[in-house]
Structures are given as structure tokens and as C-alpha cells.
Amino acid sequence: MRNILILADLTSPLMKPRILMLKDLPYRKYILHNANNVALSEEILSSYEGFIVLEHPEIESLKLRYLYSFFYTLYLLVKLNPKLIVVHWASRLYQNLLLALFGKRVIVHTMGGEINKEEDCYGKKQFFTGILLKNAKVVTGKTQVMKDITLSNFPLLDEKKIKILSFGVEDRFCNIPSDDEKIELKIKLLGKNYKNIFFSIRTFKKIHFHKEIISAFLQNYKDDDNACLIVSVLSCESDYLQECEMEFDLKHQKNIKLINIKHEQMHEFLHISNAILSLKKFDGISQSIMESLCASVFVIASDIKNHAMLLKHKQNSYLINDFKELNDAFCFVLNNKFQNIDNGMLNRELQKKEYSRILKEEFNV
């Protein structure tokens, strides 16, 4: 039986639904977890039934870890001789040299960060990412805009091999609870049945403008017993969080909830929210925006080109160009009805069929 080798960070909540799309393929499927010194829990391991999960040993030295990862990847490529190599997140430095040698068997799923100059698309990261993307047989991105950005930052890439694939959204986000169930959820998650709930959903980093969001919320709803702002502090920049805590005295703001929300619970927090806030100067189409739309929750977002793929101003979203517009955005989403807009990007089954088609046509698997 032939083999499939998958390279991914299994601690990422995005990985499981994407990798499980390959579950029914009649091959031995190996997953090499990233060399990030994060051991996988039994819960994560057991969720990949039908896959063989491989982990790197814990190595404190970053250089030694990269060196070990390089040779372990080489060993796997030679031993398994995989028919298909699936790479999630292309910014892998020296591993990319090996993967490029097997490029005709490689499909790379870009995540946005490695093609974004504000994140990982710079210096040697851009150099090694470019080597992999140039040699891979297929590269995927969520949107046409992401494809255009990839081509602008990696001009030697053949645009014909870049495919649009969003992977869709899990069913749990689409199963919207009743009004009574929402009240129960609010009490369970927040301890109170707030009438108006905003959710600052992105990771707590400066690039997501949580400070500006908190400031605007306090200007409008400070001490308002009916309003609440949920702020996700998963994967936060600790200095930035401390800066916000001091500036806004967050520990004494009763209607601002800093919560470490795991993705397994994300649908519950979305189902109790009136709107999410997702601000950024550059963005692909974040999974959180896709999930919010499936949950019929308004999206308050930056008015940038990529968002036009899914977001329609004053229908399913309120798009802003300036933080001063947040006041109007808050009012609009509370006083208007969300309008569903059908889009195949959100449909997981459609995306799975497209994924299967690409694998069949390009790799004969």
C-alpha cells in the first residue's frame, strides 16, 4: 500500500477538519507534527484515528531542533516514498529544501501568514517558502485575492498551479440554537444573560487592534449592564495584554470578559454573540469570519479587498476604514437583521469535493 505524508501543526484548531478530509483515501496516512516542542495530548492523538501520528523529540536548542527535523524529514521521505505529500503552512525553512526535491508529489495549503509581509513573508522565511512554492506541484489559497498576493510576493510562481480552496466550515457552527438555548449558553459561559454581546475574536496581538476595540466599546457601553465585550486571549502577546490591562483597568471592567477560548468551544461563543470584531490592515479570509457567517453573526471588519469575497456591507457585516466608525458599527449590528448570503466557500462538502477533484487530477489519488 502506498503512503501519504502530511506535515502540520496538530495543535492548530484548523488542522483536524482539513486533515480528516483525507481519511477515506485508501493509503497509509502519516502525519508529521511540527517540531515546535509542543507535545500532543491524548485527546488530540485519539482524534486522528486512521492516521499514524509522528512526533519529534523535545529539543530545547532551536538549531538542534531544526537540524533533527531536517534529517528526520529526509528519513521519512526516503523510507515512505510517499505518493502524496500534503504541507500545511509553507514557512518551514530548511525542511522546504527536502520537500522541494519531491515537489511533483507536493500540495501546499497556504494559511495566509506565509504570504503576508506583515507576518512570515520576509527575509529567509520568504526565501525558503519561495523554494517550496516554486517546486510544489499544487499550491492552494482561500481566495483569488490570496492568489494575487502570493504571485506578487513570489513572482516566479506559475499561476496555473495555484488553486482556490477554502476547506469550508464545520457543521457545529451552522446548527444555531433556539432563543432559550442561547439564554442558557449566556449564563453558562458568562454568568449572565446579556442582551448585547460583542466578541473580539482574533488572537490577542497588536495586528488585530484589540486596544482600539476595547476603547470604542468602553466609550459606548462602560457600566452598561446589558452589554458585554468578550475578548479572546488565546495565543496572546503578553506585553500587549499587560499594556491594555493597565490602560483600561480591565480587571475592574465588569462587562469586559477576557477568556481563553479553545476552538472546540468557539461555536458556543459565536451563537451567543450579536457581532464579532475582526480588524486587520491585511487579511486573507480568516476561519473565524467564515465560522461567524455560518452562525449568522454580524462581522465588524476592516474594509479590505479580500473581505469582499464574503462580506457585504450592511447585510452580513459592517466594514470600516477608520476606528471612529466602530460606534456606528455597534449601533448598526444591534438594530438590524443579519442577511444570509449563500457562498460555496463556507460549504464544507462542496470544498471537500473540490479538494478530492484536485488530488485526483493532479496526483491520481
Side-chain angles (χ1 to χ4, degrees):
M1 181 182 289
R2 295 296 298 274
N3 302 311
I4 293 175
L5 179 61
I6 304 161
L7 288 84
D9 178 3
L10 296 188
T11 61
S12 167
L14 299 180
M15 288 302 100
K16 182 180 172 182
R18 298 181 180 194
I19 291 175
L20 291 185
M21 285 187 175
L22 305 174
K23 186 173 183 179
D24 296 332
L25 291 178
Y27 301 89
R28 278 191 299 265
K29 295 172 283 290
Y30 293 83
I31 307 173
L32 177 59
H33 174 52
N34 282 5
N36 54 12
N37 269 8
V38 178
L40 299 174
S41 67
E42 187 57 42
E43 180 183 2
I44 291 176
L45 291 170
S46 63
S47 68
Y48 287 96
E49 183 182 354
F51 294 80
I52 302 166
V53 179
L54 307 170
E55 296 184 74
H56 294 82
E58 184 176 337
I59 301 173
E60 289 302 322
S61 168
L62 186 61
K63 289 183 178 179
L64 288 178
R65 199 189 316 158
Y66 282 170
L67 189 63
Y68 181 93
S69 177
F70 179 88
F71 284 105
Y72 186 45
T73 303
L74 175 60
Y75 165 75
L76 291 175
L77 290 170
V78 173
K79 180 184 178 183
L80 300 178
N81 189 25
K83 182 175 177 61
L84 173 67
I85 302 168
V86 182
V87 181
H88 293 275
W89 187 261
S91 183
R92 293 178 171 273
L93 295 182
Y94 311 112
Q95 265 185 330
N96 285 359
L97 297 175
L98 298 172
L99 295 169
L101 295 175
F102 290 76
K104 295 301 180 184
R105 310 180 198 180
V106 173
I107 181 170
V108 180
H109 301 304
T110 59
M111 309 282 275
E114 68 264 59
I115 63 170
N116 178 9
K117 288 185 176 294
E118 293 181 7
E119 296 181 61
D120 281 333
C121 188
Y122 62 89
K124 67 178 182 180
K125 289 185 177 181
Q126 182 178 7
F127 173 76
F128 285 108
T129 297
I131 290 174
L132 177 58
L133 296 183
K134 184 176 183 299
N135 287 277
K137 188 171 186 181
V138 176
V139 177
T140 75
K142 278 187 177 179
T143 66
Q144 179 63 42
V145 176
M146 287 182 68
K147 178 177 178 178
D148 294 341
I149 292 168
T150 302
L151 290 169
S152 69
N153 290 328
F154 302 96
L156 298 180
L157 218 54
D158 178 3
E159 68 171 306
K160 293 179 182 177
K161 70 179 181 183
I162 304 178
K163 313 294 183 184
I164 308 301
L165 186 70
S166 74
F167 290 100
V169 176
E170 295 176 81
D171 290 342
R172 59 192 170 105
F173 292 94
C174 308
N175 299 327
I176 301 173
S178 66
D179 290 343
D180 288 341
E181 289 171 332
K182 286 183 181 180
I183 292 173
E184 291 179 10
L185 269 178
K186 289 178 184 180
I187 295 172
K188 169 191 166 184
L189 299 173
L190 305 176
K192 182 177 177 180
N193 179 24
Y194 289 98
K195 180 181 178 182
N196 304 319
I197 298 176
F198 303 98
F199 184 4
S200 189
I201 199 169
R202 304 299 290 272
T203 52
F204 203 93
K205 300 178 180 180
K206 284 188 177 181
I207 60 173
H208 294 138
F209 301 108
H210 289 282
K211 179 185 286 190
E212 288 77 6
I213 291 169
I214 292 169
S215 176
F217 176 80
L218 288 174
Q219 288 175 21
N220 286 272
Y221 302 105
K222 183 177 174 64
D223 299 325
D224 186 334
D225 289 337
N226 290 316
C228 175
L229 174 66
I230 302 169
V231 181
S232 173
V233 291
L234 186 68
S235 303
C236 71
E237 292 176 347
S238 56
D239 291 345
Y240 183 50
L241 177 58
Q242 186 176 15
E243 182 183 328
C244 291
E245 285 177 335
M246 293 179 64
E247 181 170 341
F248 300 112
D249 191 21
L250 291 181
K251 292 181 180 178
H252 296 96
Q253 303 294 345
K254 294 182 180 180
N255 59 347
I256 295 181
K257 310 290 185 181
L258 305 180
I259 306 177
N260 190 341
I261 303 171
K262 294 184 178 180
H263 194 255
E264 291 78 7
Q265 274 188 296
M266 189 62 70
H267 61 291
E268 294 184 328
F269 282 90
L270 283 176
H271 286 147
I272 65 171
S273 300
N274 297 83
I276 69 158
L277 294 109
S278 180
L279 305 183
K280 202 174 179 184
K281 290 181 179 178
F282 163 90
D283 210 355
I285 289 289
S286 77
Q287 193 69 17
S288 57
I289 286 179
M290 294 170 61
E291 291 164 352
S292 301
L293 296 179
C294 285
S296 296
V297 174
F298 270 112
V299 176
I300 299 173
S302 308
D303 188 7
I304 54 181
K305 187 176 180 181
N306 222 2
H307 286 164
M309 301 288 297
L310 280 175
L311 302 180
K312 304 301 178 187
H313 185 54
K314 294 189 176 181
Q315 294 183 49
N316 59 8
S317 64
Y318 197 99
L319 302 176
I320 68 169
N321 292 292
D322 189 289
F323 299 125
K324 294 177 182 178
E325 297 176 73
L326 280 173
N327 297 341
D328 292 335
F330 289 148
C331 293
F332 180 85
V333 299
L334 295 181
N335 294 308
N336 290 274
K337 187 176 180 179
F338 178 92
Q339 298 178 41
N340 259 316
I341 298 173
D342 189 40
N343 192 303
M345 283 183 63
L346 306 176
N347 189 309
R348 192 179 177 203
E349 285 305 311
L350 283 179
Q351 293 298 314
K352 184 177 179 180
K353 288 179 181 178
E354 176 62 11
Y355 192 12
S356 298
R357 184 192 66 78
I358 292 171
L359 294 180
K360 181 67 177 175
E361 289 184 2
E362 301 290 344
F363 302 96
N364 194 31
V365 298

